[in-house]
Amino acid sequence: MTEMIDFAPQARLVAAVAAGVTDEQLEGATPCPEYRVRHLLGHLIGLTGAFRDAARKDFGPRLDRDPGSVVPDIGPGWRAELPKLLDELVEAWRDPAAWEGMTRAGGVDLPGAVAGAVALDELVVHGWDLARATGQAYEPDAMSLGVAKALLTPQEPEDGGEGTEAARSGDSLFGAVFPVPDDASRLDRVIGLSGRDPGWTPAA
């Protein structure tokens, strides 16, 4: 049986950061160049609902949608919608069936266990985006950081093989790695692996 991951600590952290966003910050810049804070919140709402449905194997239009096809946004009820979806995401991934067999996300079929790791990584990285954009403290739990780091780290060759294209190029699963110092924190290492500058600030 596939080892399950508890989403609750990271989901609570993202919900707390979102609750700390003021209305005046919604038009602010984020580490995602194409997103303002409101768009980042809309993306979090979209991915949380999509990965909830992926856990439930609830196949429908939400799971076929390319997340990069449109710039997401929020509606007037986003402050209630996001924490509700986060709670539902946590419960959906507590079902052992979510981790078995195949599911779909972003129009891509993938094993349930991989989808779970990707979902948690998205919460870790985009939670950092939101916290950094709005000047809030951000300390993910060690387990969530470990899952994200394992997912993002380029795979090395095995038994003399060539390894993955990402490993050969020095990229992570999601693109070019941002270099960090040898003494960087675990969080900064994860953010660097995601292609982001851990030192980013809204004024940068």
Side-chain angles (χ1 to χ4, degrees), residues 91-109:
E91 289 305 313
W93 287 101
R94 283 178 172 162
D95 183 351
W99 300 90
E100 303 298 331
M102 298 293 291
T103 189
R104 185 181 306 129
V108 177
D109 293 328

Side-chain angles (χ1 to χ4, degrees), residues 57-76:
K57 311 293 198 299
D58 184 7
F59 301 111
R62 189 194 295 265
L63 297 186
D64 292 326
R65 189 176 304 132
D66 177 359
S69 61
V70 297
V71 176
D73 205 345
I74 51 173

